[in-house]
Amino acid sequence: MLIRSISGLRGLTDVPNGLTTEVVRLYAASFATYCKGIIAVGYDGRQGGKDIYDFVCKTLTEYGCDVFALGMVPTPTVMFEVENDISIHGGISVTASHNGQAWNGMKFIASSGLFLDKEQNESLWEIIDSNPPAPSQTKGNITLREDIADKHIKSILAIPFLDIKKIRERNFKVVLDTVNASGSFIHPMLLEALGVTNVIGIATDGSGIFPHPPEPVPQNLTSLCDAVRSNNADIGIAIDPDADRCVFIMENGEPFSEENTIVIATEEVLKYSVEGQHVVVNLSTTRAVEDIAAQYGAKVYRTPVGEINVAKKMHELDSVIGGEGSGGVIYPEVHTGRDSLVAVALALNNLAASGMSLSEKKASLPQYEIVKSKIDLESPEQVKEVLASVKAKMSPKAKSVNEEDGLRFDFGKSWLHVRASNTEPIIRLIAEAPTTEEAERLIS
């Protein structure tokens, strides 16, 4: 199985029609033809990823591109490098993001440091779907870039309102779960740089073996919750395989909610910003962001789901903060992509300044309950049928209906979003309301 979307390419690695060597070669060669220059490449650390990474680097050189080989690094680190080095023409992160062990893939990054948008993807796909490119007579070179993690961390430490002294004085005890993937080494480096010396790693060996399903949602984080309680820690930090998403666990061992990652980050950035700023999130993100923004005289804009959609709108509006409710924070002062390292720094800074525990911080934020579900599809053709049925049922009850990305129904203090996934053969259902019961009624 292969899934190609605005989020890149993903596929099963152990099936004949999946992410085979031939498919990887075709996509890497086509991207080399599309970029025609220096390409930065990294991989997320999952098992089998190193082989694909090596093959991608080799293929790019065969098609005339020089390669900056970054090794096992977060996807945001690859994006950071492309955005901040004007000599680089594009990037590839070998990753299947939050998908399970049997999956891998490739995320394609434009010279801007952002993922390819709809039009850019179509240009790449046109190359892929036409006659395969011919290898270049002039071969490229591979250059190892082993300092990139330090550069990324230094950029975060340069955030002007970051108070490392206060963070150090809080003496946080942290339990860290990076599912043994790309965050395994860079996150401990960041925490040490922030003055957090008491770090308990429960899946940080970089082996690529996921100890549990890697998507950082509550049902997959029970071991982290238990470790926070048993170690009397102040906070648990869960990172997905390519380290663009970050989810926190409170000191009582309960989830802070992945939605609240962008809420606490928004609060922290707006605290140090002048009034009238713009915040950008997607249609599936908690309305608590609107409530926080209103407190600081800021306005929230919403886009279709997909990091590139949020990032492009942030560029357009010169937004100071943005992201997605899945645990993705985009702070353009570092780079315009979801970044778990930025999320950790902003959250610890917020807690250090307020003196609150994470559960006290949650109690101080706008209170909503979000419920997420999904419908498994047998074929993509089912999408239209399902959406038409939902629209007929829910539209008469809604105050407004947004059709930019599936269907989003707003009911005042609650909402329902129904959309086809960009990365899996499913329809996602997300509902939010002041109570869990109200949200569950919308889902059902």
Side-chain angles (χ1 to χ4, degrees), residues 155-167:
S155 180
I156 293 168
L157 299 179
I159 293 173
F161 53 83
L162 200 65
D163 193 333
I164 297 172
K165 182 173 181 290
K166 274 190 178 177
I167 294 174

Side-chain angles (χ1 to χ4, degrees), residues 89 120 137 145 152 196 201 204 238 261 271 407 409 422 438:
H89 296 81
Q120 291 168 327
Q137 292 183 347
R145 285 289 191 88
H152 190 174
V196 180
T204 56
T261 303
K271 268 191 340 192
L407 297 164
F409 307 93
N422 287 331
E438 289 177 74

Side-chain angles (χ1 to χ4, degrees), residues 43-46 71-77 93 95 97 149 152-153 174-192 199-208 210 214 237-246 339-341 344:
Y43 71 103
D44 72 6
R46 69 180 59 225
M72 189 181 83
V73 293
T75 294
T77 304
S93 181
T95 177
S97 191
H152 190 174
I153 289 171
V174 172
V175 181
L176 177 65
D177 179 354
T178 62
V179 290
N180 295 327
S182 67
S184 294
F185 307 121
I186 194 170
H187 266 281
M189 288 168 61
L190 172 70
L191 290 169
E192 183 179 4
V199 180
I200 301 160
I202 63 170
T204 56
D205 65 14
S207 65
F210 301 153
I237 301 174
I239 308 298
D240 75 329
D242 72 333
D244 59 355
R245 292 168 59 182
C246 173
D339 192 329
S340 64
L341 290 101
V344 167

Side-chain angles (χ1 to χ4, degrees), residues 76-119:
T77 304
V78 183
M79 300 176 76
F80 167 84
E81 178 73 339
V82 176
E83 183 172 331
N84 289 284
D85 187 335
I86 60 172
S87 72
I88 300 176
H89 296 81
I92 297 176
S93 181
V94 176
T95 177
S97 191
H98 62 270
N99 288 58
Q101 200 87 61
W103 292 78
N104 216 316
M106 301 162 75
K107 290 184 177 180
F108 300 100
I109 301 162
S111 59
S112 61
L114 277 59
F115 291 126
L116 301 190
D117 63 20
K118 183 175 182 291
E119 291 74 23

Side-chain angles (χ1 to χ4, degrees), residues 63 65 71 111 137 144 159 175 194 209 219 266 295 300 312 318 390 396 438:
Y63 285 79
C65 287
S111 59
Q137 292 183 347
L144 299 180
I159 293 173
V175 181
L194 290 172
I209 301 172
Q219 60 266 35
T266 299
Q295 294 174 21
V300 174
K312 283 184 70 177
D318 196 23
V390 173
E438 289 177 74

Side-chain angles (χ1 to χ4, degrees), residues 220-254:
N220 296 337
L221 301 177
T222 55
S223 59
L224 178 58
C225 294
D226 291 342
V228 169
R229 281 189 289 263
S230 63
N231 288 283
N232 294 314
D234 298 296
I235 185 171
I237 301 174
I239 308 298
D240 75 329
D242 72 333
D244 59 355
R245 292 168 59 182
C246 173
V247 173
F248 301 115
I249 302 299
M250 298 184 291
E251 77 285 352
N252 56 16
E254 296 178 3

